[in-house]
Amino acid sequence: MNDDSQLQESMRNGDNRPSPDALLAKAEQETRGRLKIFLGAAPGVGKTYEMLMSGRSLLADGEDVVIGVVETHGRQETQALTEGYEIIPRARVDYKGHVLEEMDLDAVLTRRPKLVLVDELAHTNAPGSRHPKRYLDVEELLANGIDVYTTLNIQHVESLNDVVAQITRIRVRETVPDSIIDRADDIEIVDITPEDLIKRLKEGKVYLPKTAKRATQNYFSAGNLTALRELALRRTAQRVDDQLLSHMQANAISGPWSAGERVLVCIDEQPHGAALIRYARRQADRLRTPWTALYVETSRAATLSEEEKDRIAATSRLAEQLGGEIITLTGHDVAQDIINYALAHNFSHIVIGKPNKSRLREMFEGSVSHDLIRKAGNLSIHIISGTQQEAAPVRQVATAEEKAFSLRPYLLSLGYIAIALVVGTLLDHVLDVRNIALVFLMAVLATAVASGLRPALFASLVSALVFNFFFLPPLYTLHIAGPESVIALAFFICVALVASNLTARVQRQAAAARNRARTMEGLYQFSKKLAGAGTLEDVLWATVYQIAALLKVRVVVLLPDEGTANTSISVRAGYPPDDTLADADIAAARWAWEHDHPAGRGADTLPGAKRLYLPLRAVGNTIGVVGLDDDRQGPILTPEQQRLFDALAEQAALAIARIQLVDDLDRAQLAVEADRLRSALLTSISHDLKTPLAAILGAADTLKSYSGSLPDTDRAELLTTVVDESERLNRFIANLLDMTRIESGAMQPNKSLHYLGDIVGSALKRAAKILQHHRVETDIAADLPMLKLDPVLFEQVLFNLLDNAAKYAPEGSLVYIQGQAEQGDIVLRISDEGAGIPAGDEMRIFDSFYRVRKTDQVRAGTGLGLAICKGFTEAMGGTITAANRSDHGGRSGAVFTIRLPLSSCAEMMSGTEEGLSPR
C-alpha cells in the first residue's frame, strides 16, 4: 500500500497518524549530512560570495568549516573571503599531458569537518576521478554525515534543460538531476536584477571584457535573464511547497494550510469532464499554482459502458496535455475519499461538476457534490455547471468485443450443480435438508468465482430448482408442501443471489486490479525506456517492442523521410523486424498520415489493408503513423486495448517530438556555427587576401612607374616584397585547401617509414626565411625508430608550428625542438619563448579561424594553421596538445606536443629488410 492509500485509510478511520513514508524520510535525513544549495539564475549573481559569507558566520560561531573547492575566477573580493578558512588541497589529475585540479574527496572524508564548501555542483570531474560528476562527490559526503554548502545555476537543472535551451538557444551539457534539489534541506536564492548583473558584466566582474561583451549580446540579454530568474524562483517555490507538505504529513497535520494555493479537480464518467479540466487549468493559471485531476474508482467502474470508460480516458489525457497531474484512487465513499486526499496533500480548492441526478435519485443514491460541501471545512468547493457538455470521443476504428457470449461458463455452472447434487444425495441420510442447501450454495459461489455474475445468477436459479426437486417434499416435483419449505427455498434463493453478486463483484475488482497493475507496470517500464533513450532509433525500438508486448500484435512505425518536406513516409522500426509493406498498406499509411485519421483494417477508410494505421500525435501535430497487425480475423483491438494504445502512443509521440526538438536545436546551433565560420572565413579572406595583394600591387606599381629612377637597393627590396607577399598568399591559399580536405573527409595520408630528424630538417629549411630572426635548437635522439607517416603532411604540421612560433615569440628568442621516445610513443615538442597561451585557450587555439589576441607587432594569421596541424596529425594516428611552459628556468612561452604511436611502426618494420634500420 502506498503513502496516499495509507493516509486515505487512516483518515477514513478517524486515525490522524503521521505518514509512514514521511517519517521514514525524516529518519533518513537525520543520519545524513545537511545539504544547502545557493541557487542563482545565471553566473555572476554572487552565489559563491554568499556561500563564503554564510560559512564565515558559522566560523565565527566556532563551527568546523573547510573549503573543499571554491572557484574565485580571479575576482579579488571573492578571493579575499577565502582567507581564514582551512582549504583542503586539491587532487592533481593527469589527463593527456595536462594537470587538472579537482576536489580531493578522500582528503575531505579523512578530515571529516562539520561543514564543507563545494562550489559549482554541476561541474564535470576530470577523467580518472572517482565520480564523473561533482554532485556525486557531494552525495558521498552527505552519506558520510558531512554537511555541504554548494552553488548551482538554474540552467543546470535536468528537467529545465529543454526550457533553458528554448529561451537562450544554448543547450547546457552539464546538468544535475532534479533529485538533488528535491533532497536539499535548504535552498537559498541568490538574486539580483538583470540590469545589475549586466552592469557587473560590463565592469568585468564576471568575465573578461571581451568575453563579457559577447555574453551580453547572446546569453546575458535582459529578456533571457528575466526568464531564467523566474525559473529559479518557481523551482525554489516548488521545493518549499514539497517541504511544507512533507512536514504536514510527518506531523499528522490536517490541511489545508493557506501558505500556497493548490487546485484539485474531480473527474468521472459524466459528459462535462472536459469543461471541468479547462476550468481547473484556468483557475490554476490565475492562482499561479499546480493542479491535479483526481478520479476515484469505485465498484461501479466494472459496470460502466465502453463509452463512459472512453470518456474518462479522454478526460485524463486532456488533463495531462494541459499540464495537470493525474491521480487514480480506489475507494467506496467518493466524497470522503476526495476530502481525505485534499487534506492530506494540502489542496485548498476542489472543482467538481454540478450533479445531473433527479431529486428522487439523490434521495436514494446520494450526491457527491452535496456531501463535499457538507464535509469541506476550510476547503473551497467550486461547483461547475454541465452546460459545456461534450460527447464521448467517437471511435474511428472498429473494436472487438471484450467477451463474446459463450455457453462454457453456463455449462461449467451446471457441472458444479451436478457435483453438489451428488454430494447432497450422499449427505441426505445424515444431514438436515437445510444444511444440504449449503452444498448448493458452494456451487453458486464457485461459479461466481470462476465465471462471473451472470453464470452465478443462472446457477442460483438452477440450484434452487434442483434443491426443490430433489430435497424438498414432495420429492421429484416442483411443488412445495409446507410453509417452512417455502421459507427455506426463499431464503436459499436470496442468499444465493446476494452471495453470487458479492463474490462476482470481488472477482471483478480483483481482475480489474490485476489488469490495472499489469497495465501500469507496462506503462512504467515504457516510460523508463523512453527516459533512457538518447536517440530516435532507441525511442522507436522501445515503442514497437512495448506495444507488441502489451497488445500482443505486430507493430511498424512510419515517420516522414528527411529532406522530403514531410511529403512521404517510410518504415523506420518494426517488431518483429519488418520493413516491407504492400501497396494497399502504403496507401493506407499515407492516408492516415496526411489526414490525421485512422486507416486500414477495421477503419472506415481503406479497410482492405493488412494493417490498421493510427496517427501518432504530439502537441497537436501528426509526427508519424503506427501500423498494427495480428493473425486474428476482424477488429484488432478491444476497447480496453484501444485506451491502452492511446496511452502508449501519446508517450511515444512526446518522446519522438523531444528527440526531434533536440535535433532541431542541434541543427540550429550548427547553422549558427556555420554562419560564424562563414563570417570568419569572409573576414579572413577579405583581410588576408587583401593585405598581400595590396603589397604586391603597390610594389609592382612602383617598379613599373619608377623603374628607371629607383636605386638598385630599393628595386631589390620591392622585388623581395613581391616574393614574400606572394609566398604568404600562397601559404594562405594552401591552408584553405588543406582545411577543405580535412573537413570533407578526403584526407588519405600516404604513409611510409621515415626518420623524424629528416622531416624536421626539411621543415627547418623551408621555414628558414620566417625564422631568420630567431635562434633554433634541435635535440632529436639519434636512436629513434623510424615512423610510419606521411612526410608531406607532417612537414606541413611542423612548418605551421614553426610559423606560429615565429609570429608570437619575440625576435632573438629561442625556438627549441626536442624529439624522444616516451611510454611507447615518439614525442616531439616545439617550444618558444613568447607570451604563452591565455588560460582556457589551450584547446580553442586548434579551432578553425580562432586567433589568440596579439600585439600590433605580431603579424596577423589566418586562424587555420593550428587547425590544420590537428587535422593532419590525427589523420596519421597521432595527437597534438598545447600548453604553457612549466620548466624550472622561469621562462614563458608555449609548448606544442605531438605524440605518434610506435605500434604502426613495429608492424611495418616486420615486413622490411634487416638493413632498413634507424639512423
Side-chain angles (χ1 to χ4, degrees):
M1 182 180 292
N2 59 27
D3 188 36
D4 290 341
S5 301
Q6 290 174 334
L7 279 172
Q8 181 183 350
E9 187 65 27
S10 63
M11 295 183 73
R12 183 185 293 123
N13 297 330
D15 183 10
N16 291 333
R17 292 176 297 175
S19 164
D21 285 355
L23 290 177
L24 180 61
K26 188 175 181 180
E28 290 178 352
Q29 286 181 347
E30 293 177 355
T31 62
R32 292 168 51 88
R34 292 183 61 83
L35 174 64
K36 182 173 182 178
I37 298 177
F38 293 84
L39 183 66
V45 297
K47 302 179 299 298
T48 304
Y49 187 91
E50 187 63 30
M51 179 180 69
L52 291 170
M53 289 295 294
S54 299
R56 295 188 74 87
S57 299
L58 295 176
L59 273 177
D61 294 338
E63 295 287 347
D64 184 12
V65 184
V66 302
I67 290 179
V69 58
V70 167
E71 304 292 351
T72 63
H73 299 291
R75 301 168 192 151
Q76 296 298 325
E77 62 272 20
T78 306
Q79 182 66 40
L81 286 178
T82 62
E83 298 177 0
Y85 281 99
E86 176 185 347
I87 302 177
I88 303 295
R90 300 191 189 185
R92 298 171 65 84
V93 181
D94 184 27
Y95 177 64
K96 292 185 177 180
H98 298 277
V99 177
L100 305 177
E101 294 186 345
E102 299 291 352
M103 181 178 69
D104 194 336
L105 180 60
D106 290 326
V108 177
L109 292 173
T110 302
R111 172 66 174 75
R112 291 195 67 82
K114 171 64 178 173
L115 172 66
V116 60
L117 308 185
V118 180
D119 206 4
E120 297 184 0
L121 183 62
H123 171 76
T124 299
N125 291 332
S129 304
R130 181 186 307 176
H131 300 301
K133 295 286 189 176
R134 185 168 288 171
Y135 73 82
L136 296 174
D137 295 339
V138 169
E139 285 191 332
E140 185 170 346
L141 292 173
L142 296 172
N144 283 272
I146 300 175
D147 296 344
V148 176
Y149 280 6
T150 188
T151 62
L152 180 69
N153 288 323
I154 193 64
Q155 67 263 30
H156 295 294
V157 179
E158 178 63 40
S159 66
L160 301 177
N161 191 257
D162 291 342
V163 179
V164 172
Q166 290 176 350
I167 294 172
T168 63
R169 295 296 176 184
I170 297 174
R171 179 165 294 276
V172 178
R173 301 299 178 185
E174 291 185 324
T175 59
V176 172
D178 288 62
S179 57
I180 297 295
I181 296 182
D182 294 336
R183 288 199 296 267
D185 298 280
D186 300 292
I187 297 180
E188 180 175 328
I189 282 285
V190 182
D191 186 43
I192 61 175
T193 64
E195 292 76 14
D196 289 340
L197 180 55
I198 293 173
K199 181 180 179 182
R200 287 178 51 116
L201 278 167
K202 293 178 178 179
E203 293 174 350
K205 295 182 178 180
V206 180
Y207 296 124
L208 295 174
K210 184 176 180 180
T211 305
K213 181 179 180 180
R214 188 169 61 250
T216 305
Q217 296 171 348
N218 297 283
Y219 190 88
F220 284 82
S221 67
N224 288 354
L225 293 176
T226 301
L228 294 173
R229 192 181 180 198
E230 181 179 1
L231 284 178
L233 293 171
R234 284 184 175 276
R235 189 61 181 86
T236 305
Q238 179 184 341
R239 175 57 185 148
V240 172
D241 188 64
D242 292 340
Q243 287 178 320
L244 174 62
L245 182 59
S246 298
H247 172 77
M248 295 175 65
Q249 293 180 351
N251 293 275
I253 299 173
S254 179
W257 277 8
S258 299
E261 306 285 354
R262 296 167 70 92
V263 177
L264 179 68
V265 56
C266 306
I267 62 176
D268 55 17
E269 70 279 5
Q270 298 301 321
H272 52 229
L276 295 181
I277 293 298
R278 296 188 182 102
Y279 176 85
R281 170 59 191 264
R282 293 195 299 271
Q283 185 73 7
D285 287 345
R286 283 193 291 267
L287 298 173
R288 304 181 73 83
T289 185
W291 61 286
T292 298
L294 175 66
Y295 172 60
V296 180
E297 187 179 75
T298 64
S299 57
R300 285 189 62 252
T303 64
L304 295 177
S305 66
E306 294 301 334
E307 180 182 353
E308 291 172 328
K309 292 179 181 178
D310 287 345
R311 188 179 290 121
I312 293 172
T315 304
S316 299
R317 286 196 299 272
L318 177 61
E320 189 172 13
Q321 292 170 0
L322 295 182
E325 181 183 9
I326 313 301
I327 298 294
T328 300
L329 297 179
T330 300
H332 306 291
D333 187 341
V334 176
Q336 188 61 53
D337 291 335
I338 293 173
I339 292 293
N340 291 344
Y341 185 84
L343 295 177
H345 294 81
N346 201 33
F347 284 95
S348 52
H349 298 268
I350 297 178
V351 179
I352 192 169
K354 177 182 177 182
N356 56 4
K357 297 178 181 178
S358 64
R359 183 64 60 85
L360 182 62
R361 284 186 60 191
E362 286 188 358
M363 291 177 58
F364 287 99
E365 299 178 3
S367 171
V368 174
S369 57
H370 292 168
D371 292 342
L372 279 177
I373 293 173
R374 283 193 295 270
K375 300 175 181 179
N378 294 327
L379 295 170
S380 299
I381 308 297
H382 302 247
I383 306 294
I384 307 304
S385 67
T387 56
Q388 301 180 17
Q389 295 184 359
E390 295 186 10
V394 178
R395 284 219 184 97
Q396 300 168 331
V397 178
T399 54
E401 293 296 330
E402 291 279 1
K403 287 184 179 179
F405 178 78
S406 173
L407 288 176
R408 186 177 180 279
Y410 297 92
L411 296 176
L412 185 62
S413 67
L414 293 177
Y416 289 140
I417 295 171
I419 294 173
L421 176 60
V422 173
V423 174
T425 302
L426 295 176
L427 297 177
D428 187 32
H429 302 290
V430 295
L431 294 178
D432 184 73
V433 68
R434 288 167 294 184
N435 295 326
I436 295 176
L438 298 178
V439 178
F440 287 92
L441 188 60
M442 286 296 299
V444 174
L445 296 179
T447 302
V449 171
S451 305
L453 178 60
R454 291 182 181 179
L457 296 177
F458 171 76
S460 300
L461 296 176
V462 175
S463 295
L465 295 175
V466 172
F467 178 63
N468 178 25
F469 188 82
F470 287 98
F471 297 100
L472 292 180
L475 299 179
Y476 310 120
T477 68
L478 295 178
H479 298 288
I480 302 176
E484 48 186 45
S485 297
V486 174
I487 295 174
L489 182 61
F491 272 99
F492 173 80
I493 294 175
C494 292
V495 171
L497 292 175
V498 172
S500 62
N501 187 41
L502 292 177
T503 305
R505 179 184 300 178
V506 171
Q507 190 263 353
R508 284 199 309 268
Q509 291 177 347
R514 287 193 299 269
N515 290 335
R516 189 185 307 113
R518 185 164 54 249
T519 300
M520 293 305 296
E521 176 67 17
L523 290 174
Y524 173 69
Q525 294 297 333
F526 187 41
S527 64
K528 280 181 60 179
K529 291 178 182 178
L530 293 182
T535 64
L536 182 60
E537 288 73 18
D538 293 339
V539 170
L540 294 178
W541 172 252
T543 299
V544 297
Y545 175 79
Q546 203 68 29
I547 293 177
L550 289 178
L551 301 182
K552 304 295 187 271
V553 294
R554 293 186 289 269
V555 185
V556 293
V557 173
L558 299 92
L559 295 181
D561 297 322
E562 296 183 4
T564 62
N566 291 344
T567 58
S568 64
I569 58 175
S570 61
V571 176
R572 301 292 293 275
Y575 189 88
D578 187 5
D579 58 358
T580 58
L581 297 179
D583 292 341
D585 284 79
I586 294 175
R590 181 183 295 277
W591 198 94
W593 160 254
E594 293 175 350
H595 296 83
D596 190 24
H597 193 282
R601 175 180 165 185
D604 54 7
T605 303
L606 301 176
K610 177 184 176 182
R611 294 178 174 88
L612 168 65
Y613 293 94
L614 300 165
L616 277 173
R617 303 182 185 93
V619 200
N621 297 319
T622 303
I623 64 172
V625 176
V626 177
L628 306 179
D629 173 34
D630 63 12
D631 296 326
R632 295 170 294 181
Q633 297 296 322
I636 297 176
L637 302 178
T638 65
E640 187 66 31
Q641 288 177 325
Q642 178 72 50
R643 289 187 287 270
L644 176 57
F645 172 81
D646 291 342
L648 293 170
E650 185 174 7
Q651 288 194 50
L654 290 174
I656 294 172
R658 172 177 59 84
I659 295 293
Q660 292 177 342
L661 176 61
V662 171
D663 291 342
D664 290 343
L665 288 174
D666 290 341
R667 280 194 291 268
Q669 189 169 356
L670 287 175
V672 171
E673 184 68 15
D675 288 340
R676 186 188 69 81
L677 288 175
R678 188 180 299 110
S679 175
L681 177 61
L682 292 175
T683 301
S684 178
I685 291 176
S686 63
H687 178 271
D688 296 308
L689 282 179
K690 185 177 181 180
T691 300
L693 284 174
I696 294 171
L697 183 62
D701 184 64
T702 301
L703 287 172
K704 178 182 178 182
S705 302
Y706 305 100
S707 175
S709 60
L710 285 176
D712 292 341
T713 55
D714 291 346
R715 186 182 299 107
E717 184 177 350
L718 289 173
L719 290 173
T720 301
T721 299
V722 171
V723 173
D724 290 344
E725 293 301 326
S726 298
E727 290 178 349
R728 178 182 171 188
L729 184 61
N730 182 62
R731 288 197 301 270
F732 174 70
I733 295 174
N735 282 340
L736 285 177
L737 294 175
D738 289 340
M739 202 65 224
T740 302
R741 292 168 61 199
I742 292 174
E743 293 185 347
S744 66
M747 182 64 60
Q748 295 293 334
N750 184 17
K751 296 182 181 180
S752 58
L753 288 176
H754 294 275
Y755 176 56
L756 184 62
D758 289 345
I759 303 178
V760 171
S762 177
L764 286 173
K765 183 180 296 184
R766 179 180 168 191
K769 183 178 293 186
I770 60 177
L771 289 173
Q772 60 184 339
H773 301 296
H774 295 76
R775 294 180 294 116
V776 179
E777 292 184 9
T778 60
D779 181 13
I780 308 296
D783 59 347
L784 289 180
M786 300 184 73
L787 285 172
K788 181 184 177 184
L789 45 77
D790 188 319
V792 177
L793 298 185
F794 196 68
E795 180 183 323
Q796 185 63 46
V797 170
L798 297 180
F799 180 84
N800 287 355
L801 293 177
L802 294 172
D803 181 49
N804 185 79
K807 289 177 186 174
Y808 291 94
E811 294 184 2
S813 62
L814 175 66
V815 177
Y816 184 62
I817 305 173
Q818 180 189 34
Q820 60 188 14
E822 288 184 6
Q823 301 176 352
D825 294 336
I826 296 296
V827 179
L828 182 69
R829 293 185 176 89
I830 300 178
S831 55
D832 59 51
E833 294 181 343
I837 304 171
D841 282 358
E842 290 86 351
M843 296 304 297
R844 295 184 64 191
I845 60 175
F846 293 106
D847 293 342
S848 300
F849 302 108
Y850 181 79
R851 309 186 201 187
V852 174
R853 289 182 301 164
K854 47 194 176 290
T855 61
D856 294 336
Q857 287 75 26
V858 177
R859 56 191 174 90
T862 64
L864 289 174
L866 295 181
I868 291 171
C869 291
K870 184 174 185 292
F872 282 4
T873 303
E874 292 179 350
M876 291 182 287
T879 61
I880 183 171
T881 58
N884 288 312
R885 298 181 64 164
S886 58
D887 47 1
H888 299 293
R891 291 172 293 184
S892 63
V895 56
F896 291 87
T897 303
I898 300 174
R899 288 183 176 271
L900 297 168
L902 281 173
S903 56
S904 58
C905 171
E907 293 173 2
M908 192 164 185
M909 285 289 291
S910 63
T912 60
E913 297 179 353
E914 288 288 331
L916 188 59
S917 59
R919 303 179 198 179

